[in-house]
Amino acid sequence: MGSDESRARIAVLLPTGFPHVATYLLPAGTPPPPVGSRVAAPFGPRLLTGLVAPGEVPVVPEGTTEREIVAVLDESSFLPEPFVDLLLRAAAYYFAPPGELLRAAVPGRLLDLGEASYVPTSRSIGAPPLEGRAAEVLSALLEMGRATPLELGARLGSHGLGKALRALLDGGLARIPSEGMRAARPPVSRGWIARGTADDPRLARRPKQKAALAHLAALGRPASAAELRAAGATPAVLASLAKEGLVSVVEEDRPADASRHALPPRAVEAFVPTDAQREAVEAVGRALAAGKEARFLLDGVTGSGKTEVYLAALERSIALGRQGILLVPEIALVPGLIRRVVGRFGTRVSLLHSGLSDGERSAAWERARRGEVDAVVGPRSAVFAPLPRLGLIVVDEAHDGSYKQAEAPRYDARTVARVRAHREGAVLLLGSATPSMEQEQAARDGSVTRLVLPARPGARDRAAVEVVDLRGEPARAGDHGRVLFASRTVELLRGAFDRGEQGIVLLNRRGFSPSLLCRACGQDFRCTSCSVARTYHRRGERLLCHYCGDLLPVPRACPACGSDVLMPVGFGTERLAERFEEIFPEIPYAVLDRDAAARRGGAARVLADFESGAAQALLGTQMVAKGHDFPNATVLAVLDADALLSFPDFRSAERTFQLVTQAAGRVGRGDRPGLVAVQTARPEHEAIAAAVAQDHPRFAAGELRFRRTFAYPPFSHLLLALWTARELPEAEESARAGRAEIARLPRLRLLGPAPAPLERLKGVYRVQLLVKSDSREALAEAGDRLRALPVPPRLDRDPQSLL
Ligand code: ADP
Ligand code: ZN
Ligand code: ZN
């Protein structure tokens, strides 16, 4: 290295799966860029944009050649140090490469170099002559002054061009100046505007152009190309209009797009906050004013007005000059909440979620980063919203499992929110009618302050819950002994419909029915790579594996015995809809499930139909039970509470209790009382019984006892290690080696290795080891050791599902 010894090095967080931050040399004479600024760095054959990381520069391993930063892209830091630090901590905690967190947090476009151009440096003048391709490229560069690889390729051919450019960069003979690189520029949106009118004589014989221009002129605002295409104006039509000077493209900052995800506006009801609401807001307000970290659990029964507390708390934070984040389980499922947020904060709120295009997401993110919005609303990834003066993080439906990302990086937004609130001196407000056992225990031991909203405002009672016992209920012929609609359930729904009220039916399965069965031999059409039964989808007559997505056409005859009596057993939302039509032929209904949400208009349209009354019934999966506020819905039927209850997971009772209680929260929110019918064959089960009583403290008391006895969270911390292999013995062997590696570490309890509940998925065997500990440090040590193994497992810290 010689003279390089004295040169400055920086640590860089790159958006790759590289397990650490990387180290780079700074070009001679370049002042060290501040932490959080973006730099362009060579990585393998590519050039990447990374963030300058704080702290000690790691020691460079022996024998690695050090590379130099190619360009510093920001003059001042792009993200503050605590933000970069948050990503690094989260990466370490979840045993994830830091780059994975960077990619989860920062929109790709802000880390996208685009087509960089190259310029020759002064060193290239007196340099010893080069050979071959590099020499050609350098002389072309010297001649052109500045060129992109595309331009060089057009001139010299693309063969070996990348390698030659790399060699020139590494030798210091060429550089990439930062200005003009895409990642250094803030994103803007491009929109078309009208500059002429549709009665322009040039358009007399061009109906498409005429229509497009009329449309654009009528809009009276810039419109995106995608939006115009939907209105029939193709890029070719726009291009021909542009040639005539009748339209042109402008660039602008994108306005908040919140209205797209909101229910249609309705008159805001002004109400006087209840005493409990006022006290909760005051408590949060005092913590905000103190400007120090604080944590609250807003424990309020469904319909008690938690949203009002969130919004008032956000207003307090804003009044103190700080911004807030409102996390929700899923944007598409809360159009009513978005409407209220938009009604309150207008364009000072921005939505951040994965349904946005990368450009839209970047624009929303940039507005947040520049402090141009007061609040950000979004699902788990919005916990990384780069608000410069964060005062408050609200987590709505804080018990919801979707806050934990199921794929890598497997972070939990609630944990990240807690760390972030601590680092930035912000207030964390978790809200739920059914707090998780972790949250419940934290409130009991005082590590979060509980704020209670004990009742619904006004004289409204909570919905009653009635058990509909399925034992002894006769099944319909052809339903294979299973009951879809019990007669009592039908009676209750009919009552609501007759009174002109609305009903909701919840069945937690997609498709026509869960499976297809051969009545002659019992063949059940499992997915051969996942060991789970395929779901029968009547639309398209297909058998779908919901784990790996593999589709099979429905066979004419049983492949095992040749019989042609194949019949669907069990029920899914499609079958539910069909049966519903049979029983209630005159009732218009809408279906809400993943399939519906993926369709045009999505969940917001389905929910709007139900709100407007166009649909008198709403049928669907768990999605129908999440947080909606429909005053005219009075009866909700949970058809298969038992399905959740028998899930092989220690949280199955908690999930069942939450589902039934949340379901009860969806009805009786208006002036008329609500009723929930829970169909079950296990009415005596504590999760059902406590939900019927809507008694969270009672459920929590029993459930916490169980968790303590078996050392499950919140009384232990979990780490789930999973090994996969084409052959079972291979996966088992790796898992045994994993167990041996950590067997002697203190304060751990190891369960397994054992086949995962989903033993085979997508063609690979899965063997898992569950690590329990009362010490986070011990668990961290175990995870680090497992990660360093020759065959490292997939690690899931604080897993939400053990499947
Ligand atoms: P939660 O989020 O706790 O389930 P919401 O915030 O959705 O409850 O409120 C339930 C309903 O009660 C909403 O229609 C809301 O407008 C109404 N509401 C909230 N606070 C009050 C109040 N103080 N007085 C009257 N109605 C209220
Ligand atoms: Zn058969
Ligand atoms: Zn499968």
Side-chain angles (χ1 to χ4, degrees):
M1 282 183 204
S3 65
D4 279 353
E5 286 301 338
S6 56
R7 294 191 36 204
R9 293 182 176 80
I10 52 169
V12 180
L13 171 51
L14 289 171
T16 66
F18 189 59
H20 314 284
V21 293
T23 309
Y24 286 90
L25 285 167
L26 269 182
T30 306
V35 167
S37 36
R38 288 173 298 180
V39 293
F43 187 80
R46 291 174 298 158
L47 196 58
L48 297 175
T49 305
L51 291 178
V52 177
E56 293 274 295
V57 173
V59 178
V60 184
E62 200 76 41
T64 45
T65 46
E66 282 189 273
R67 297 177 100 179
E68 220 176 59
I69 287 299
V70 166
V72 174
L73 301 176
D74 298 303
E75 278 166 20
S76 55
S77 55
F78 176 67
L79 289 164
E81 175 159 350
F83 188 93
V84 185
D85 186 58
L86 180 75
L87 297 182
L88 295 175
R89 277 163 185 260
Y93 183 83
Y94 291 106
F95 310 109
E100 277 184 0
L101 278 131
L102 179 61
R103 277 192 302 217
V106 181
R109 175 154 167 185
L110 300 174
L111 297 174
D112 176 4
L113 289 169
E115 267 272 276
S117 38
Y118 291 71
V119 295
T121 66
S122 56
R123 260 205 249 177
S124 63
I125 308 296
L130 292 164
E131 309 249 298
R133 201 65 175 143
E136 270 173 58
V137 174
L138 180 58
S139 75
L141 262 187
L142 284 166
E143 207 176 296
M144 297 163 86
R146 175 182 193 124
T148 65
L150 209 65
E151 289 160 348
L152 287 166
R155 184 164 169 155
L156 304 170
S158 61
H159 170 76
L161 182 61
K163 209 170 144 209
L165 283 169
R166 282 254 57 82
L168 295 180
L169 287 176
D170 287 347
L173 305 176
R175 298 194 49 73
I176 298 178
S178 66
E179 80 277 6
M181 288 177 69
R182 194 172 163 187
R185 287 200 306 259
V188 284
S189 70
R190 293 159 58 87
W192 294 86
I193 53 165
R195 293 182 56 208
T197 54
D199 53 22
D200 191 290
R202 283 171 288 179
L203 300 182
R205 297 252 182 97
R206 292 151 73 192
K208 281 188 196 156
Q209 277 79 1
K210 196 178 167 98
L213 186 55
H215 178 73
L216 197 52
L219 279 177
R221 58 165 172 86
S224 71
E227 194 183 346
L228 290 171
R229 191 166 324 135
T234 61
V237 167
L238 290 173
S240 74
L241 283 170
K243 224 165 103 193
E244 306 280 6
L246 293 171
V247 299
S248 54
V249 171
V250 292
E251 291 197 344
E252 56 166 3
D253 276 1
R254 207 169 296 248
D257 70 326
S259 57
R260 244 202 296 147
H261 302 274
L263 283 176
R266 75 177 169 196
V268 279
E269 342 81 87
F271 40 65
V272 186
T274 62
D275 288 347
Q277 283 173 322
R278 206 169 20 238
E279 279 165 32
V281 174
E282 282 310 319
V284 175
R286 278 193 299 275
L288 286 166
K292 289 201 302 259
E293 176 201 12
R295 296 200 287 262
F296 296 96
L297 172 63
L298 183 63
D299 182 347
V301 299
T302 53
S304 58
K306 293 185 289 297
T307 312
E308 191 49 40
V309 175
Y310 306 151
L311 300 184
L314 283 168
E315 277 168 351
R316 293 290 182 99
S317 179
I318 293 163
L320 290 162
R322 299 177 77 176
Q323 302 111 356
I325 297 174
L326 170 55
L327 296 182
V328 296
E330 196 172 336
I331 278 278
L333 292 183
V334 293
L337 176 73
I338 306 293
R339 168 172 59 198
R340 286 170 76 177
V341 173
V342 171
R344 209 75 162 234
F345 302 106
T347 56
R348 298 290 299 173
V349 61
S350 147
L351 298 194
L352 268 181
H353 60 99
S354 59
L356 301 175
S357 72
D358 196 47
E360 290 173 315
R361 196 167 157 241
S362 309
W365 211 82
E366 273 299 90
R367 291 183 69 216
R369 193 182 68 85
R370 295 194 228 118
E372 293 168 11
V373 294
D374 293 324
V376 167
V377 184
R380 61 174 175 262
S381 61
V383 75
F384 295 110
L387 294 166
R389 293 176 310 280
L390 183 65
L392 175 68
I393 307 178
V394 178
V395 186
D396 185 25
E397 309 290 358
H399 60 276
D400 199 283
S402 69
Y403 287 118
K404 180 79 167 27
Q405 181 152 298
E407 321 78 63
R410 297 182 171 75
Y411 70 94
D412 191 318
R414 295 162 293 196
T415 305
V416 175
R418 193 176 44 179
V419 173
R420 197 164 172 199
H422 175 70
R423 289 291 316 244
E424 300 179 34
V427 172
L428 177 63
L429 176 60
L430 306 167
S432 176
T434 51
S436 71
M437 289 305 112
E438 287 86 340
Q439 290 155 358
E440 176 65 29
Q441 182 58 26
R444 289 181 181 212
D445 70 22
S447 53
V448 311
T449 305
R450 194 195 300 263
L451 306 168
V452 181
L453 301 184
R456 291 186 175 180
R460 266 167 276 168
D461 280 331
R462 272 196 277 167
V465 180
E466 177 178 325
V467 164
V468 176
D469 195 337
L470 291 178
R471 296 171 299 188
E473 179 82 23
R476 272 171 62 150
D479 280 358
H480 217 62
R482 289 191 222 182
V483 177
L484 186 52
F485 281 97
S487 47
R488 174 65 180 153
T489 307
V490 171
E491 184 185 326
L492 291 169
L493 285 167
R494 178 155 289 138
F497 298 145
D498 287 349
R499 293 189 299 273
E501 297 160 6
Q502 291 174 298
I504 303 176
V505 182
L506 192 164
L507 182 71
N508 204 19
R509 280 283 192 143
R510 289 202 299 178
F512 183 67
S513 82
S515 52
L516 192 69
L517 198 74
C518 167
R519 206 162 61 194
C521 78
Q523 160 89 11
D524 71 352
F525 302 92
R526 278 171 188 260
C527 170
T528 47
S529 41
C530 301
S531 75
V532 292
R534 290 168 181 270
T535 304
Y536 173 50
H537 281 252
R538 176 119 136 187
R539 199 177 306 132
E541 284 289 305
R542 290 177 305 185
L543 293 170
L544 169 67
C545 171
H546 274 287
Y547 291 101
C548 71
D550 190 50
L551 268 177
L552 275 185
V554 170
R556 261 179 238 287
C558 171
C561 76
S563 152
D564 59 1
V565 224
L566 302 179
M567 55 174 203
V569 291
F571 312 98
T573 41
E574 271 181 55
R575 182 99 176 261
L576 168 65
E578 187 185 280
R579 186 64 57 84
F580 183 86
E581 270 181 36
E582 238 176 271
I583 305 175
F584 302 105
E586 72 292 356
I587 304 296
Y589 67 88
V591 176
L592 182 62
D593 59 12
R594 286 276 151 232
D595 299 333
R599 252 173 256 139
R600 231 185 126 67
R605 182 149 94 188
V606 173
L607 294 170
D609 280 351
F610 191 58
E611 172 169 78
S612 73
Q616 200 176 355
L618 180 65
L619 318 182
T621 58
Q622 284 201 44
M623 294 169 99
V624 302
K626 294 205 170 171
H628 315 300
D629 187 22
F630 299 114
N632 195 36
T634 55
V635 172
L636 188 152
V638 180
L639 299 190
D640 61 348
D642 299 340
L644 252 186
L645 207 49
S646 47
F647 232 58
D649 192 302
F650 74 92
R651 286 193 180 89
S652 64
E654 179 180 319
R655 297 255 156 81
T656 305
F657 175 83
Q658 286 166 342
L659 178 71
V660 175
T661 311
Q662 292 292 339
R666 292 319 114 217
V667 287
R669 292 170 80 95
D671 304 327
R672 280 168 284 193
L675 181 74
V676 172
V678 182
Q679 297 192 163
T680 175
R682 304 170 72 181
E684 71 292 341
H685 192 287
E686 182 56 19
I688 303 274
V692 169
Q694 296 186 59
D695 191 342
H696 188 265
R698 162 176 157 191
F699 174 73
E703 183 65 15
L704 286 172
R705 221 174 302 124
F706 154 74
R707 302 280 181 94
R708 194 188 292 275
T709 308
F710 290 93
Y712 279 120
F715 302 104
S716 70
H717 306 291
L718 298 184
L719 173 63
L720 185 64
L722 180 86
W723 284 267
T724 56
R726 292 264 149 215
E727 302 301 331
L728 183 59
E730 191 188 335
E732 285 171 335
E733 174 62 34
S734 310
R736 273 195 301 272
R739 184 185 168 107
E741 174 69 22
I742 57 173
R744 275 194 298 279
L745 292 179
R747 303 181 72 171
L748 300 182
R749 273 178 61 186
L750 306 181
L751 304 181
L758 292 171
E759 189 176 351
R760 213 161 163 244
L761 212 54
K762 301 177 192 177
V764 292
Y765 285 94
R766 310 164 83 240
V767 174
Q768 66 187 31
L769 176 67
L770 185 61
V771 187
K772 285 186 187 179
S773 180
D774 58 357
S775 149
R776 287 195 188 277
E777 293 69 39
L779 210 61
E781 170 72 19
D784 287 336
R785 295 253 192 136
L786 291 172
R787 187 138 92 116
L789 284 171
V791 186
R794 184 184 100 183
L795 291 171
D796 188 355
R797 188 158 192 183
D798 308 330
Q800 285 293 305
S801 158
L802 302 184
L803 292 181

